[in-house]
Amino acid sequence: MYGVCGCCGALRPRYKRLVDNIFPEDPEDGLVKANMEKLTFYALSAPEKLDRIGAYLSERLSRDVARHRYGYVCIAMEALDQLLMACHCQSINLFVESFLTMVRKLLEADKPNLQILGTNSFVKFANIEEDTASYHRSYDFFVSRFSEMCHSNYEDPDVRTKIRMAGIRGLQGVVRKTVNDELQANIWEPQHMDKIVPSLLFNLQVPADSGPPGCEKEKENPAELTERCFRELLGRAAYGNIKNAVKPVLMHLDNHSLWEGRSFAVRCFRIIMYSIQSQHAHLVIQQLLGHLDANSKSSATVRAGIVEVLSESAVIEATGSIGPAVLEVFNTLLKQLRLSVDYELTGSCDSYDQNKTTADQERKLQEAVIKTIGSFANTLPIYQRSEVMLFIMGKIPVPGIYPALGSPTAGFEGSRMIQVMLLKSLLQVTEHYESSNMLTALPSSFLEPLLSFTLMEDPEIRLLVLFILISLIDRHQNTHKFTAPSILSDISVLKLKVDKCSRQDNLFMKKHGQRLYRHIFLTCSEDNSGRSHYQALFTLLALLSVELANEEVVVDLIRLALALQDLALAPDERLALYNRCAVHALSAAYLSLISQLTTVPAFCQHIHEVIELRKKEVPFLLPEDVFTETPRVPESLERAQGAVLFQQCKIAEVLGGSGYNTDRLNTPYTPQITDEDRLSRRKSIVDTISLQLDIDPRNSPETQPKSPTEQITFETLKNAMVDSVNGEEQEREKRRLLVERFQTAPFEDLAAHCGAKASLLQSRLDQIFELTIRPPPSPSGSASQGQTPSRSVPVYEMKFPDLCVY
């Protein structure tokens, strides 16, 4: 009997005997290395036996798992790993199938140790570069199982952490194995990404100190391991796969309400923006914008979270472009501003009043949108930023140009709020805007509508316009040196950066200078201006002197400052006492600055004398007393006369001696009021629209009804076209006959024809002269009977009294 058994054992195939020999009697002794070397040598010598070796090992492993002999299971997996590492022949595919079958069985087991063992073997396999491709291998089970392990809820926290980390490494292995192999299953398909990405994000939320004690933190921390895996996944994403990789992130943040916390959402997209290839960054921006549009009716906190993520992403995306549709980005953000204004006024994000919102939440959202607009603008080159400025300006409702302001639900208050929001957005775009050519920085199509807002009654709008002008004109970062109007004895302490005025700057001031002066003057004449307005006006005047001043501009600015002094003294102006003092202080501070910039000693001496006298007698006309938290304003300005005022004649005299245009200096500055000013000055939006409605002919009761206009049809147009063609033919024929007549007719006929025309002209002239020299009719009617009418006297012979001659 024993002989029969021994005979049957000797008849077993060699590969089975070699496989059996690697297993020791006691599994704790581990793999028999000498026999493992024999098995490896046999597999390399007879590669066609690899599939059978794998199948037999798989059979033994299944039996050992069922019998709970886990020591032998570990030995079998170790043997498989060594064979995988050693063999790279063409027959490896069949062996891999057996290997993956064994890994699948381990992952399906209930024991955490077996799941971790199977994951480790799969990770080793994923790092092997195969020589031959596999057309039929599927990893769907592994994606699902590893994703499930990432969400493990095992009772023991240490074991749970190990299982989750094994799942993360398994997903990393699947990605490495499939992402660059076109013949493998496409891991970027939505059904796979919808499992992989949420599993990674779930573990990314785990606190940093959640690793088991006694282990290296970097190796055992699920969040850090997840971040490395997530970065690797995104770094391998091609152009066409970005959308499938980012969409699950957006859905995960939506489903778990993670936009409201913002910090995790910002962290996720920082990882995304830093991991993907830089040329694909604009695709992420476009997906975020689309998601913002899709959440237009969500709560303000959700929309604010998305906007903040957009802002952070724009800062990271610093390639100089935000994709092909630059204006679409700003259009989407401006649309969100308008919707937010509507929601703030109505108190609800939908028409059914189910999604309530508060004004405070909407204002926070509006601030976030404006900040994001600035972040995007900072990534653009100068020429694209100019286009964005014009685009935003075109969206702002301008009085007198866009009568239908705002949305139907917002009303006039909404229109004002939209104006403020869009001007704040425009201010964000203009910050750090540096252009060497002011003609391109402030073209007429942008400057004219912008300046129209300086004439509106709303002080906030006027102040925003001043800030925008300051931001655009300041090209050498001098703004912060002029923020507080003051009297400086030596401006060298400011360390101003001044360049020579270029030809383009001279052209700009020649074209737009008078318009700027006029709007500065009219802004000072507004009675609801505050301290911030006068400080901004001083900054604007100072920057004009530093950035764009030539001799002619200096003269005009001095005339403007003297005109402001006259404005503060004018009794017919409805300026409050504080405003008059503020205008005096503004004029004094600016004349002190411009006198030192011109470096004319006599001019500086006159300004210095007036300022010193003001310090003694009328300190309330100087900026140090006016532009403070508690301005010292007198009861009246009776003492503001005589020597405490700047004298135009004296200034003209001292500057004329230095070569300045004396005639121009002696001419007081008077702003030219244009039609635009008459329409806009001191008119609010409501007043402007009411004015437009009042002057509409259709609303006038005195207007007589007009006869109905002829209805234009296709036949009418057709007949008009035919008539015009016939008329052209007739005119051409008439010209041809005329030319032919002059070429062929005798001279006598031509002379008679021209003589007749000359006589006709003479008769017409005689009639005109007769009417001209005829005396005016008598007031009593016709002449009395028996009296002969007096002789007509030509006009040029009549005698008129001196008072009637103009």
Side-chain angles (χ1 to χ4, degrees), residues 694-706:
D694 290 342
I695 63 175
D696 192 345
R698 293 172 294 181
N699 297 331
S700 178
E702 292 81 8
T703 305
Q704 297 296 332
K706 298 181 180 179

Side-chain angles (χ1 to χ4, degrees), residues 374-585:
S375 299
F376 276 114
N378 289 334
T379 66
L380 297 177
I382 293 297
Y383 74 94
Q384 279 189 323
R385 204 183 296 192
S386 299
E387 293 178 0
V388 172
M389 288 162 51
L390 287 171
F391 179 76
I392 296 177
M393 179 57 68
K395 295 287 184 179
I396 303 176
V398 180
I401 300 178
Y402 301 104
L405 302 179
S407 62
T409 58
F412 296 122
E413 175 60 20
S415 300
R416 191 200 69 81
M417 293 171 62
I418 289 172
Q419 283 182 320
V420 172
M421 295 302 163
L422 294 183
L423 285 173
K424 287 182 177 179
S425 304
L426 193 58
L427 178 60
Q428 286 286 330
V429 176
T430 57
E431 286 185 355
H432 310 296
Y433 180 86
E434 297 180 3
S435 175
S436 58
N437 189 350
M438 290 303 299
L439 286 172
T440 58
L442 285 169
S444 299
S445 56
F446 177 79
L447 185 61
E448 291 180 6
L450 178 65
L451 289 178
S452 66
F453 289 103
T454 62
L455 306 171
M456 293 188 62
E457 191 177 34
D458 194 317
E460 185 178 6
I461 291 178
R462 296 201 308 272
L463 186 61
L464 286 171
V465 174
L466 292 175
F467 287 154
I468 292 171
L469 288 172
I470 290 169
S471 180
L472 289 172
I473 293 175
D474 182 22
R475 294 173 294 182
H476 296 90
Q477 288 74 49
N478 290 318
T479 298
H480 65 281
K481 302 172 184 176
F482 300 121
T483 51
S486 60
I487 305 298
L488 293 177
S489 58
D490 185 8
I491 63 170
S492 60
V493 297
L494 297 178
K495 297 181 181 180
L496 298 175
K497 300 177 183 178
V498 183
D499 285 341
K500 186 179 179 181
C501 194
S502 64
R503 179 175 175 272
Q504 290 83 2
D505 294 342
N506 290 333
L507 290 175
F508 172 80
M509 291 305 294
K510 189 172 183 179
K511 183 177 182 181
H512 300 295
Q514 294 299 323
R515 181 182 292 271
L516 286 170
Y517 307 148
R518 183 174 72 251
H519 284 270
I520 291 173
F521 182 88
L522 295 177
T523 303
C524 288
S525 65
E526 297 291 341
D527 56 354
N528 59 353
S529 295
R531 184 180 67 172
S532 54
H533 291 82
Y534 296 110
Q535 290 176 341
L537 285 167
F538 172 76
T539 306
L540 179 58
L541 287 169
L543 289 175
L544 287 174
S545 306
V546 173
E547 296 281 352
L548 302 171
N550 52 30
E551 183 176 320
E552 182 179 351
V553 172
V554 168
V555 170
D556 287 338
L557 288 173
I558 293 173
R559 292 173 60 227
L560 175 61
L562 294 172
L564 293 179
Q565 178 180 260
D566 295 339
L567 172 68
L569 296 171
D572 55 341
E573 288 291 336
R574 298 179 180 178
L575 286 178
L577 195 58
Y578 170 79
N579 296 85
R580 294 180 184 273
C581 293
V583 173
H584 274 295

Side-chain angles (χ1 to χ4, degrees), residues 66-242:
R67 296 175 181 176
H68 304 287
R69 296 190 295 189
Y70 300 126
Y72 288 121
V73 172
C74 295
I75 293 173
M77 291 307 300
E78 186 179 353
L80 284 168
D81 294 342
Q82 292 190 20
L83 288 173
L84 274 175
M85 299 297 293
C87 302
H88 296 282
C89 60
Q90 295 182 353
S91 303
I92 193 73
N93 280 333
L94 297 177
F95 177 73
V96 169
E97 291 301 322
S98 301
F99 169 79
L100 293 178
T101 301
M102 287 183 276
V103 172
R104 186 181 295 111
K105 288 182 179 179
L106 292 179
L107 293 176
E108 289 173 344
D110 296 333
K111 298 291 183 181
N113 292 337
L114 295 183
Q115 297 175 12
I116 296 171
L117 177 65
T119 302
N120 293 336
S121 295
F122 183 84
V123 171
K124 294 177 183 177
F125 162 69
N127 293 327
I128 297 175
E129 295 184 5
E130 301 180 51
D131 296 334
T132 56
S134 175
Y135 296 91
H136 58 280
R137 195 178 300 161
S138 173
Y139 295 95
D140 293 357
F141 167 80
F142 296 100
V143 171
S144 300
R145 183 57 183 158
F146 289 139
S147 299
E148 185 180 348
M149 291 171 65
C150 289
H151 293 84
S152 173
N153 289 321
Y154 200 82
E155 295 179 357
D156 189 343
D158 293 342
V159 176
R160 179 171 65 241
T161 300
K162 291 180 180 179
I163 295 175
R164 289 183 179 181
M165 293 181 66
I168 296 168
R169 287 195 298 268
L171 290 176
Q172 190 177 26
V174 173
V175 171
R176 289 179 179 176
K177 198 65 181 175
T178 60
V179 72
N180 291 327
D181 192 350
E182 295 180 356
L183 299 176
Q184 299 291 354
N186 187 2
I187 200 68
W188 299 107
E189 291 180 358
Q191 63 265 28
H192 298 311
M193 285 289 106
D194 290 345
K195 298 176 182 177
I196 294 175
V197 174
S199 301
L200 296 177
L201 295 179
F202 175 77
N203 286 276
L204 199 61
Q205 294 175 256
V206 177
D209 57 350
S210 61
C215 299
E216 293 183 10
K217 183 179 178 182
E218 183 178 356
K219 293 183 178 179
E220 298 298 332
N221 190 300
E224 293 182 2
L225 178 62
T226 301
E227 183 172 339
R228 288 197 299 270
C229 180
F230 195 32
R231 289 182 184 276
E232 182 178 349
L233 173 69
L234 296 167
R236 296 172 181 266
Y239 180 85
N241 302 325
I242 296 293

